[in-house]
Amino acid sequence: MMRLSQLVEKLGGELHGADAEVTRVSSLDGATPDALTFLTNPRFKNLLVDCKAACVLLKAADAQDVTVPHIVTDNPYLYYARAAALLHPAPAVRAGIHPAAYVDATAVVAADAEVGPGATVCAGAVIGAGAVIMPQAYVGERAQVGAGARMYPQSCLMAECIIGERVILHPGAVIGADGFGNAWADDHWEKIPQLGRAIIGDDVEIGANTTIDRGALEDTIVANGARIDNLIMIGHNCQIGEHAAMASCVGIAGSTRIGARCQIGGAAMIGGHLDIADGTIILAATAVTKSIREPGVYGGPIPAAPQDQWAKNAVHLRRLEVTNNKVKQLEKQVAALLARDTQEE
Amino acid sequence: MMRLSQLVEKLGGELHGADAEVTRVSSLDGATPDALTFLTNPRFKNLLVDCKAACVLLKAADAQDVTVPHIVTDNPYLYYARAAALLHPAPAVRAGIHPAAYVDATAVVAADAEVGPGATVCAGAVIGAGAVIMPQAYVGERAQVGAGARMYPQSCLMAECIIGERVILHPGAVIGADGFGNAWADDHWEKIPQLGRAIIGDDVEIGANTTIDRGALEDTIVANGARIDNLIMIGHNCQIGEHAAMASCVGIAGSTRIGARCQIGGAAMIGGHLDIADGTIILAATAVTKSIREPGVYGGPIPAAPQDQWAKNAVHLRRLEVTNNKVKQLEKQVAALLARDTQEE
Amino acid sequence: MMRLSQLVEKLGGELHGADAEVTRVSSLDGATPDALTFLTNPRFKNLLVDCKAACVLLKAADAQDVTVPHIVTDNPYLYYARAAALLHPAPAVRAGIHPAAYVDATAVVAADAEVGPGATVCAGAVIGAGAVIMPQAYVGERAQVGAGARMYPQSCLMAECIIGERVILHPGAVIGADGFGNAWADDHWEKIPQLGRAIIGDDVEIGANTTIDRGALEDTIVANGARIDNLIMIGHNCQIGEHAAMASCVGIAGSTRIGARCQIGGAAMIGGHLDIADGTIILAATAVTKSIREPGVYGGPIPAAPQDQWAKNAVHLRRLEVTNNKVKQLEKQVAALLARDTQEE
């Protein structure tokens, strides 16, 4: 519970209205008298009329005629994120190793770190100050977990790999499994040992069941501040730039570089050995098969259509070469007709 | 082992032929004299000639001239499902908490529930009557598991989330990980606390390594009877309607509503903040970027073609605007030629 | 550490230059005087000038004028794979069952196999000679793990399923979860019991968080030597041929047969009940909706384009039927004009 004036003291902004106490953040239409809510899209301003919130976060431009108590701020969405973190803090760290955890005698666990029941910390691993290894998480041999990091249940950090400070690994995330390396030997594949590591910078968040493979010879790198959603695959030797963000189900094949601050939509697929320029935006469900040197917005998916309509189009899609040849032929014929016409005159 | 007459007593249908004993269900061509098999597609009726099964399930329309013993029923496929459940019951629940499980002292586990070795049940969690928490499954703080539910090994139910009665979570399924919420702060992302829950109704089945995120402010909802296959991603705040079914590798971005009884093919990708009408069918590998208000069958994938042929078409695909302009130009020119022709006559 | 002459003795090839000692393999530009490196692409031959490696693996055709010590071999990439395996051997098996593992009294674990802390081996399971069940891995009732196999942390082998000799299951891989089988019963789905197994042959490698479902009635089969990357879904009753290789994020719906030695690019999606000929190559992000009877290279994805350009094309894409009709009409009109022209002459 916090007074609005306390929030303003910590986060800035200008309070208009009573200095009430708030206990939670909420959506506009789910707001109760103990709630702090926010308006980011002026389209929803009409919802303010009946809004029961203790306070609404909004921009100066949206504040006119607003009678509900409100805090004016440049970025209501960011303010909401920060207020939510203050009002709903993460559970406190329970320092110590749970008796039902398995921690190798040669692992080094900071005194104020937490290791939950069923967690495994292998030989030579290092767990930083205030880090939380939740139940059933796995930290491999000589792996390192940065200060303040949180490994959720069933997340997995393989041998020698590193996650930085305040990194979050959601359940089922696998960091540092072997990359996909095979050499063909006449009549069968032989495995190429994967000798690099996966190195995750500070303040990175990695979603549930996402996999980031270790490098083949060099390391796979995810730079500081990147945001990686669920069920994403990042192949061996990739380099993901600082503050890059990618939505769920993205696949990135090996040895590709994603530039800083790139934004990649869900289910986009990016080939191997490519270079994507800093700040590039790739739309959802787009297939990227060549490097992108110029930042910009790139797309390519075919939007869904009623099946009978799409089925007809799909036939022509496979005959585009033929259609194009017909158009060329028509152009020649019409040009000839027009030329003759002109001659006749 | 059951007599056919016992099956008919429980499941209905009309037995034609000897009241044999059956011990198992099987495919048509794998049938042995102890097997119950089924015919759903008349195309395979010729397989009945050599069929060694004790009995075949089939429709009245397919029963003519059939000499193998058979049970006539309106829906042989459903009859087969039910007979299989009777002949091959799930393993019995072994009531009790295994000594190698970790169950917090404040958790409430029904006396006839089963908690396997290596399972974790956190503080305040509730495990319903006859539920099975298999080895290495995880039930977070204050989470609730409905009566008769089964959590397979390495499935994960995060804090405060709820699964209903008879829900099945397959291995690696993650219910209630944080949604993907980030606010941009000048030069970095800040995490938006994910404060809602994931609520799964009764009789829902969720596949291996599927992830269903918790809501940001409100809850993510999967309604009763939904069927969700493997490696599916359901983003925060989504609402999945009753008896909706989706095949593997589907991705659904945040805040989208999937109507009741929708059927979604494998690897379809559905954008965020959309509304898909009840009963809509979306074909495999289709990208849905707009709401669908009219139920129907929707598609969009490009079927595979030989690469040399496709490569030629792909070039034209990127020049459709140009081709279209040429056709427009030709139409004008031909119209002019035709007009002149007519004049000349 | 090995002498180059020892390598040649084991792996063949012709050493040109000093018989140095090497301790590791490395990339061309990361090479140090203790490293063995390799040249597979003549484009990078210029890097040899400054190369500090103890030795370079290369083809006879690339050996001219090379002054760095080198080993000439027909297949430098394969030689590198084998040398890497010799120089960087997998960690030795630590025979025995860790006291923090749970192994049912009726399971049979080979004396020289390793079972790590937090691993679960259920009733009737069989663990072969020299196999490694790493921490938190799960082996279900009556499942079988072949000699020399390695199950990484949090991998999961369900009841009755089998993995062959030297199989590798990476973290989070799930073998033998229930297939997606449902029968519609008027107003709800009923589950079809999944009674088959998943059978994985020898020398198969299966990536992190990949799921291979058990069969409905018959078994799901992955044949010897197949290579399956991360986050792949293989549906029930599929048959994957020997030495088939598929990159990450591939989805294969139920009952499909993938021929021997097929290569499937990342994020390709293959429908159910199809037959893909031996040796077929399917490019990344391709949707396969029909059987492929002729081996060859098949593709279909639309490459990404700048969004404003793509948006224009996408409009025409949905009007291909209309465009095509216009072209047909133009062809008729032009033919008529040409015919009249000819008559007039």
Side-chain angles (χ1 to χ4, degrees):
Chain A
M1 191 189 291
M2 294 184 84
R3 286 211 165 272
L4 293 169
S5 54
Q6 288 176 289
L7 272 179
V8 167
E9 200 177 316
K10 282 175 189 281
L11 303 179
E14 220 172 88
L15 173 61
H16 298 259
D19 183 21
E21 277 183 335
V22 286
T23 63
R24 65 184 195 103
V25 291
S26 83
S27 62
L28 263 179
D29 50 2
T32 45
D34 62 335
L36 176 72
T37 184
F38 58 102
L39 178 74
T40 52
N41 189 333
R43 261 200 307 146
F44 298 120
K45 199 174 159 180
N46 64 310
L47 291 176
L48 291 183
V49 178
D50 292 326
C51 185
K52 297 185 171 45
C55 180
V56 180
L57 305 167
L58 40 65
K59 289 187 200 178
D62 296 326
Q64 261 188 317
D65 308 325
V66 169
T67 54
V68 193
H70 52 280
I71 292 174
V72 172
T73 167
D74 287 350
N75 190 341
Y77 195 57
L78 179 60
Y79 200 108
Y80 143 63
R82 290 174 175 173
L86 289 172
L87 288 164
H88 307 268
V93 176
R94 288 165 292 193
I97 297 171
H98 194 282
Y102 173 74
V103 177
D104 187 273
T106 64
V108 179
V109 179
D112 61 350
E114 172 181 341
V115 181
T120 301
V121 180
C122 294
V126 177
I127 311 295
V132 178
I133 311 300
M134 289 186 71
Q136 306 178 342
Y138 177 85
V139 181
E141 280 82 2
R142 295 170 299 285
Q144 297 176 34
V145 175
R150 177 175 290 263
M151 287 180 61
Y152 274 99
Q154 304 170 359
S155 60
C156 185
L157 181 67
M158 298 298 286
E160 271 100 30
C161 296
I162 297 174
I163 59 174
E165 302 195 354
R166 297 169 300 280
V167 164
I168 297 172
L169 296 191
H170 285 290
V174 177
I175 310 302
D178 279 356
F180 195 60
N182 302 288
W184 183 250
D186 291 333
D187 58 358
H188 68 281
W189 297 103
E190 294 198 15
K191 180 179 176 63
I192 295 174
Q194 300 293 301
L195 305 168
R197 300 168 298 174
I199 309 287
I200 314 294
D202 296 334
D203 299 300
V204 172
E205 187 165 349
I206 296 175
N209 285 346
T210 280
T211 68
I212 302 180
D213 281 351
R214 65 193 313 125
L217 287 168
E218 317 297 339
D219 298 324
T220 302
I221 306 278
V222 177
N224 294 345
R227 288 294 190 272
I228 297 174
D229 198 1
N230 295 4
L231 286 172
I232 285 173
M233 162 62 177
I234 297 181
H236 56 181
N237 313 321
C238 281
Q239 297 183 40
I240 310 299
E242 292 198 341
H243 313 298
M246 50 190 85
S248 64
C249 304
V250 164
I252 304 180
S255 301
T256 281
R257 192 190 77 88
I258 304 290
R261 297 176 309 285
C262 284
Q263 295 183 38
I264 304 181
M269 290 294 151
I270 303 182
H273 297 273
L274 304 184
D275 193 287
I276 309 299
D278 290 358
T280 297
I281 293 172
I282 295 171
L283 300 179
T286 295
V288 178
T289 55
K290 291 186 179 164
S291 287
I292 294 178
R293 308 290 185 188
E294 287 299 315
V297 181
Y298 292 80
I302 297 183
Q307 167 60 1
D308 49 358
Q309 179 190 323
W310 171 248
K312 280 184 200 154
N313 284 327
V315 169
H316 299 302
L317 192 58
R318 299 183 64 164
R319 298 177 64 252
L320 282 179
E321 170 82 1
V322 174
T323 305
N324 211 57
N325 287 341
K326 285 184 183 171
V327 171
K328 268 194 214 160
Q329 171 73 2
L330 282 166
E331 285 181 320
K332 271 190 218 159
Q333 292 172 326
V334 169
L337 283 166
L338 287 170
R340 175 171 305 200
D341 246 37
T342 316
Q343 271 183 327
E344 281 175 10
E345 281 173 63
Chain B
M1 188 188 293
M2 294 184 83
R3 288 211 163 272
L4 293 170
S5 54
Q6 288 176 291
L7 272 179
V8 168
E9 199 179 317
K10 282 175 190 282
L11 304 179
E14 220 172 89
L15 173 61
H16 297 258
D19 182 21
E21 275 182 337
V22 286
T23 64
R24 64 183 196 101
V25 290
S26 83
S27 62
L28 263 179
D29 49 2
T32 45
D34 62 334
L36 176 72
T37 185
F38 58 103
L39 177 75
T40 52
N41 189 333
R43 263 201 305 147
F44 299 120
K45 200 174 159 181
N46 63 310
L47 291 175
L48 291 183
V49 178
D50 292 325
C51 184
K52 297 185 170 46
C55 180
V56 180
L57 305 168
L58 39 66
K59 287 188 200 179
D62 296 325
Q64 259 188 316
D65 308 323
V66 169
T67 55
V68 192
H70 53 279
I71 293 174
V72 171
T73 167
D74 286 349
N75 190 339
Y77 195 56
L78 179 60
Y79 201 108
Y80 144 62
R82 291 174 174 174
L86 289 172
L87 288 165
H88 306 268
V93 177
R94 289 165 292 194
I97 298 171
H98 193 281
Y102 173 74
V103 177
D104 187 272
T106 65
V108 178
V109 179
D112 60 350
E114 171 181 342
V115 181
T120 300
V121 180
C122 293
V126 177
I127 311 296
V132 178
I133 312 300
M134 288 185 71
Q136 306 178 343
Y138 177 85
V139 181
E141 280 82 4
R142 297 169 297 286
Q144 298 175 34
V145 175
R150 177 175 290 261
M151 288 181 61
Y152 274 98
Q154 304 170 359
S155 60
C156 185
L157 181 65
M158 297 297 286
E160 271 99 31
C161 296
I162 298 174
I163 59 174
E165 303 195 354
R166 295 170 301 280
V167 164
I168 297 172
L169 296 191
H170 286 289
V174 177
I175 310 304
D178 279 356
F180 196 59
N182 302 287
W184 183 250
D186 290 333
D187 58 359
H188 68 280
W189 297 103
E190 295 198 13
K191 180 179 176 64
I192 295 175
Q194 300 293 301
L195 305 168
R197 301 168 296 172
I199 308 289
I200 312 295
D202 296 334
D203 299 300
V204 172
E205 186 165 350
I206 296 175
N209 286 346
T210 280
T211 69
I212 301 179
D213 280 352
R214 64 193 313 125
L217 288 168
E218 318 296 338
D219 297 324
T220 303
I221 306 278
V222 177
N224 294 345
R227 287 293 191 272
I228 297 173
D229 198 0
N230 295 4
L231 286 171
I232 285 173
M233 161 62 177
I234 297 181
H236 55 181
N237 313 321
C238 280
Q239 297 182 40
I240 310 299
E242 294 199 340
H243 313 298
M246 49 189 87
S248 64
C249 303
V250 164
I252 304 180
S255 302
T256 281
R257 192 190 78 89
I258 304 290
R261 296 174 312 283
C262 285
Q263 295 184 38
I264 304 181
M269 290 294 152
I270 302 182
H273 298 272
L274 304 183
D275 194 288
I276 308 299
D278 290 359
T280 298
I281 294 172
I282 296 170
L283 300 179
T286 296
V288 178
T289 56
K290 291 187 179 162
S291 287
I292 294 178
R293 307 293 183 186
E294 287 299 314
V297 182
Y298 292 79
I302 298 183
Q307 167 61 1
D308 49 357
Q309 178 190 323
W310 172 249
K312 279 184 200 155
N313 283 328
V315 170
H316 299 302
L317 192 58
R318 299 182 64 165
R319 299 178 64 252
L320 282 181
E321 170 81 1
V322 175
T323 305
N324 211 57
N325 288 342
K326 284 185 184 171
V327 170
K328 268 193 213 160
Q329 171 72 2
L330 282 166
E331 286 181 319
K332 271 190 217 159
Q333 292 171 326
V334 169
L337 284 165
L338 287 170
R340 175 170 304 201
D341 245 38
T342 317
Q343 271 183 324
E344 281 175 12
E345 281 173 68
Chain C
M1 189 186 292
M2 293 183 83
R3 288 210 163 274
L4 292 170
S5 54
Q6 289 176 290
L7 273 180
V8 168
E9 201 178 314
K10 282 175 188 283
L11 304 179
E14 221 173 87
L15 172 62
H16 297 259
D19 183 20
E21 276 182 336
V22 287
T23 65
R24 65 184 196 101
V25 291
S26 84
S27 63
L28 261 180
D29 50 1
T32 45
D34 63 333
L36 176 72
T37 184
F38 58 101
L39 178 74
T40 51
N41 188 334
R43 263 201 304 147
F44 298 121
K45 200 175 159 182
N46 64 311
L47 291 175
L48 290 184
V49 177
D50 292 326
C51 185
K52 297 186 169 48
C55 180
V56 180
L57 305 167
L58 40 66
K59 287 187 198 177
D62 296 325
Q64 259 188 316
D65 307 325
V66 169
T67 54
V68 194
H70 53 278
I71 292 174
V72 172
T73 166
D74 286 350
N75 189 341
Y77 195 58
L78 179 60
Y79 201 108
Y80 143 64
R82 291 174 174 174
L86 290 172
L87 288 164
H88 306 268
V93 176
R94 288 164 292 194
I97 297 171
H98 193 280
Y102 173 74
V103 177
D104 188 274
T106 63
V108 179
V109 179
D112 60 351
E114 171 182 344
V115 181
T120 301
V121 180
C122 293
V126 178
I127 311 295
V132 178
I133 311 300
M134 288 186 71
Q136 306 177 344
Y138 177 84
V139 181
E141 280 81 3
R142 295 170 299 285
Q144 298 176 33
V145 175
R150 176 175 290 261
M151 287 180 62
Y152 273 98
Q154 304 169 1
S155 60
C156 186
L157 181 66
M158 298 298 285
E160 270 100 31
C161 296
I162 297 173
I163 58 174
E165 302 195 355
R166 295 170 302 280
V167 164
I168 297 172
L169 296 191
H170 285 289
V174 177
I175 310 303
D178 279 356
F180 196 59
N182 302 288
W184 184 249
D186 290 332
D187 58 358
H188 68 281
W189 296 104
E190 294 197 15
K191 180 179 176 63
I192 295 173
Q194 301 293 301
L195 304 168
R197 301 169 296 174
I199 309 286
I200 313 294
D202 296 334
D203 299 299
V204 171
E205 186 166 350
I206 295 175
N209 286 345
T210 280
T211 68
I212 301 180
D213 281 352
R214 66 193 312 126
L217 287 169
E218 318 296 337
D219 298 323
T220 303
I221 306 277
V222 177
N224 293 346
R227 287 293 191 271
I228 296 173
D229 198 0
N230 295 4
L231 287 171
I232 286 174
M233 162 62 177
I234 297 181
H236 55 182
N237 313 320
C238 281
Q239 298 182 40
I240 310 299
E242 292 198 342
H243 313 297
M246 49 190 86
S248 63
C249 304
V250 164
I252 304 180
S255 302
T256 281
R257 191 191 77 89
I258 304 290
R261 296 175 311 284
C262 285
Q263 294 184 38
I264 304 181
M269 290 294 150
I270 303 182
H273 297 274
L274 304 183
D275 193 289
I276 309 298
D278 290 359
T280 297
I281 293 173
I282 295 170
L283 299 179
T286 296
V288 179
T289 55
K290 290 187 179 162
S291 287
I292 294 178
R293 308 290 184 187
E294 287 298 315
V297 181
Y298 291 80
I302 298 183
Q307 168 60 2
D308 49 356
Q309 179 190 320
W310 172 249
K312 279 185 200 155
N313 284 328
V315 170
H316 299 301
L317 193 58
R318 298 182 65 164
R319 299 177 63 252
L320 282 180
E321 170 81 1
V322 174
T323 305
N324 210 59
N325 288 341
K326 285 183 184 172
V327 170
K328 268 194 213 159
Q329 171 73 3
L330 282 166
E331 285 182 319
K332 273 190 213 155
Q333 292 172 324
V334 169
L337 284 165
L338 287 169
R340 176 170 305 199
D341 246 37
T342 316
Q343 270 185 326
E344 282 174 11
E345 283 171 66

